[in-house]
Amino acid sequence: MTPSSSKRVVMVSGANRGIGAAIAERLAADGWRLSLGVRDPAKVSASSAETLVQPFDARKGQDEAAWVEATLDRFGQVDAVVNNAGIMVPKTVLEVGDDEIEALLQVNVKSPLRLVRAAYPALKRGGSGRVVTLVSLSGKRVKAAMAGSYSVSKFAALALVHAIRHAGWDDGIRSTAICPGFVATDMAAGISEFDPAAMTQPADIARIVSTLLELPNTASVAEVTVNCLAEGNL
């Protein structure tokens, strides 16, 4: 199918709330057409012809290809993928069960890989495809024992970002990891008593995503670390 307009198309996973919703709002304002992958489409109000809301569950292992196909059927192109969906299991590596580790890897690592694989031909077509993955500062250090299991998956997610960056480089695809600390979302509220007003805001992350998607191939950014705390050099 040929593109139905000159507007670029971005796929955003986990776009129903928090960081994902903020990214979708910002990119819509920037003029992108949106393909939003969410577990419960009924919870997302999107009446615009410029927005597709697609059922997507990163835990299933089979929704990625169907979502890409639906996006191409609707818009005829995919110019960027934002891997935002993620889960956390607040347990040490000694406490976490095999099924919980598998769930972490499934959502935080395997699903983003499947999505990029499915979207790759479309991303390649324009010569300037973009992949942005919300990793975490937990992909760069293990801050505490209770964050250990989460960090295992996020270290792998960060490696995936760099692997995609190398694999897609000659095709004009640029892959970037955004590694935030505490962001004022439901996830952060469940693991911290830190004042949400003092945390990085979802809209701050959305601004960064917007900038990354606008950069030319000659200004590739591999990682962006974002913190609301004075934590070493992170």
Side-chain angles (χ1 to χ4, degrees), residues 32-68:
W32 287 78
R33 290 179 291 168
L34 306 178
S35 178
L36 308 180
V38 299
R39 288 173 60 185
D40 187 356
K43 294 183 178 180
V44 180
S45 58
S47 58
S48 170
E50 303 283 82
T51 300
L52 168 68
V53 180
Q54 175 74 9
F56 172 71
D57 190 336
R59 302 168 301 177
K60 290 184 176 180
Q62 58 193 20
D63 285 0
E64 292 81 11
W67 179 19
V68 171

Side-chain angles (χ1 to χ4, degrees), residues 4 24 29 35 40-41 49 54 58 88 106 122 131-132 146 151 179 182 188 201 205 212 222-223:
S4 57
S35 178
D40 187 356
Q54 175 74 9
M88 179 181 188
Q106 186 72 249
V131 178
V132 175
M146 294 297 286
S151 288
C179 301
F182 286 122
Q201 299 300 304
I205 304 299
L212 291 170
E223 298 179 14

Side-chain angles (χ1 to χ4, degrees), residues 111-133:
S111 179
L113 174 56
R114 286 191 297 266
L115 185 58
V116 171
R117 281 175 175 167
Y120 195 88
L123 290 169
K124 176 181 175 180
R125 199 174 300 140
S128 58
R130 297 290 179 264
V131 178
V132 175
T133 303

Side-chain angles (χ1 to χ4, degrees):
M1 179 182 292
T2 57
S4 57
S5 88
S6 60
K7 284 189 175 182
R8 292 169 296 172
V9 176
V10 59
M11 301 178 67
V12 184
S13 67
N16 59 308
R17 61 179 182 171
I19 295 173
I23 291 170
E25 181 179 0
R26 174 64 188 242
L27 296 184
D30 288 346
W32 287 78
R33 290 179 291 168
L34 306 178
S35 178
L36 308 180
V38 299
R39 288 173 60 185
D40 187 356
K43 294 183 178 180
V44 180
S45 58
S47 58
S48 170
E50 303 283 82
T51 300
L52 168 68
V53 180
Q54 175 74 9
F56 172 71
D57 190 336
R59 302 168 301 177
K60 290 184 176 180
Q62 58 193 20
D63 285 0
E64 292 81 11
W67 179 19
V68 171
E69 183 178 358
T71 303
L72 292 174
D73 285 345
R74 176 70 170 270
F75 299 121
Q77 65 195 67
V78 175
D79 302 284
V81 170
V82 178
N83 292 307
N84 169 72
I87 62 170
M88 179 181 188
V89 177
K91 292 184 178 181
T92 74
V93 292
L94 302 179
E95 298 168 337
V96 71
D98 286 354
D99 57 337
E100 292 170 314
I101 282 287
E102 177 56 31
L104 283 165
L105 293 174
Q106 186 72 249
V107 176
N108 297 346
V109 184
K110 294 180 181 180
S111 179
L113 174 56
R114 286 191 297 266
L115 185 58
V116 171
R117 281 175 175 167
Y120 195 88
L123 290 169
K124 176 181 175 180
R125 199 174 300 140
S128 58
R130 297 290 179 264
V131 178
V132 175
T133 303
L134 273 293
V135 179
S136 171
L137 286 181
S138 290
K140 299 184 70 65
R141 48 84 168 118
V142 181
K143 187 173 178 62
M146 294 297 286
S149 302
Y150 181 63
S151 288
V152 167
S153 71
K154 288 301 187 175
F155 268 68
L158 184 59
L160 174 63
V161 170
H162 287 285
I164 293 169
R165 179 170 175 264
H166 283 285
W169 187 267
D170 290 342
D171 291 326
I173 294 173
R174 301 294 180 258
S175 174
T176 304
I178 299 180
C179 301
F182 286 122
V183 182
T185 63
D186 292 344
M187 180 184 290
I191 61 174
S192 173
E193 296 181 357
F194 197 55
D195 181 5
M199 295 181 185
T200 301
Q201 299 300 304
D204 301 331
I205 304 299
R207 290 176 64 187
I208 295 169
V209 172
S210 174
T211 298
L212 291 170
L213 295 184
E214 296 297 333
L215 292 175
N217 285 3
T218 51
S220 176
V221 178
E223 298 179 14
V224 178
T225 58
V226 187
N227 209 336
C228 59
L229 302 172
E231 181 186 349
N233 62 349
L234 295 174

